[in-house]
Amino acid sequence: MKLACRSPDRPLISLVPMIDVMLILLVFFMVTSTYLNLDMIPFVQRSGDVQAATAPPETGGATTLLVRLGAGGQPFVRGKAQSGPELSALTKARLAENPLLAVTVLPSPQARTQDLVTVMDLLTRAGVTRLRLMRVQARE
């Protein structure tokens, strides 16, 4: 009887340890990364539509409403201070005239972030869907 010798099997290369290491590295980098990027909110660059935003509504051509946020958190429209209900009523009236109204918010550098979020929330509750945030930078 002739018995054949079995050749020893090659060691099997497993990808499981490499996948485990990659997952551990992924979790490590996700936990240690910093996601605090203050430039995450897109800002509108200063352009020609700012002049249209300051035009009175009687002109009929104003398709943008400019809301300035003062240092104390008070919103201003065309230089007049607005309370929350007044701003909401004004925005609803302008939206009734022009459903495609774009609202641009220009916050003061001294305004608190919470005041900005409050004004933006008030505008979206009034029905604004085209809301933009603008930042004015000092010239260098």
Side-chain angles (χ1 to χ4, degrees):
M1 177 160 134
K2 190 173 184 184
L3 294 175
C5 287
R6 201 168 175 207
S7 64
D9 291 338
R10 290 189 202 171
L12 183 66
I13 298 176
S14 176
L15 294 178
V16 174
M18 183 183 73
I19 293 172
D20 289 343
V21 169
M22 295 302 291
L23 286 174
I24 290 171
L25 287 174
L26 176 68
V27 170
F28 173 77
F29 286 118
M30 286 176 59
V31 170
T32 60
S33 296
T34 302
Y35 294 106
L36 181 62
N37 184 1
L38 298 178
D39 293 327
M40 290 171 63
I41 301 174
F43 290 97
V44 176
Q45 296 296 326
R46 189 173 180 111
S47 63
D49 64 348
V50 176
Q51 285 79 21
T54 59
E58 295 83 26
T59 61
T63 59
T64 303
L65 176 66
L66 178 64
V67 178
R68 290 180 172 262
L69 186 62
Q74 182 73 29
F76 291 88
V77 176
R78 292 179 37 215
K80 183 182 174 201
Q82 303 285 325
S83 66
E86 289 174 344
L87 182 61
S88 180
L90 173 71
T91 307
K92 286 179 183 177
R94 294 287 301 273
L95 278 170
E97 295 172 9
N98 182 7
L100 297 177
L101 177 73
V103 178
T104 302
V105 179
L106 176 63
S108 169
Q110 290 82 24
R112 295 182 318 151
T113 305
Q114 181 59 50
D115 295 329
L116 175 62
V117 171
T118 302
V119 168
M120 291 173 65
D121 184 47
L122 181 84
L123 291 169
T124 53
R125 287 178 190 246
V128 174
T129 56
R130 299 177 69 201
L131 182 63
R132 295 186 280 179
L133 193 58
M134 182 171 61
R135 175 178 63 182
V136 178
Q137 296 178 343
R139 292 185 183 177
E140 296 177 6

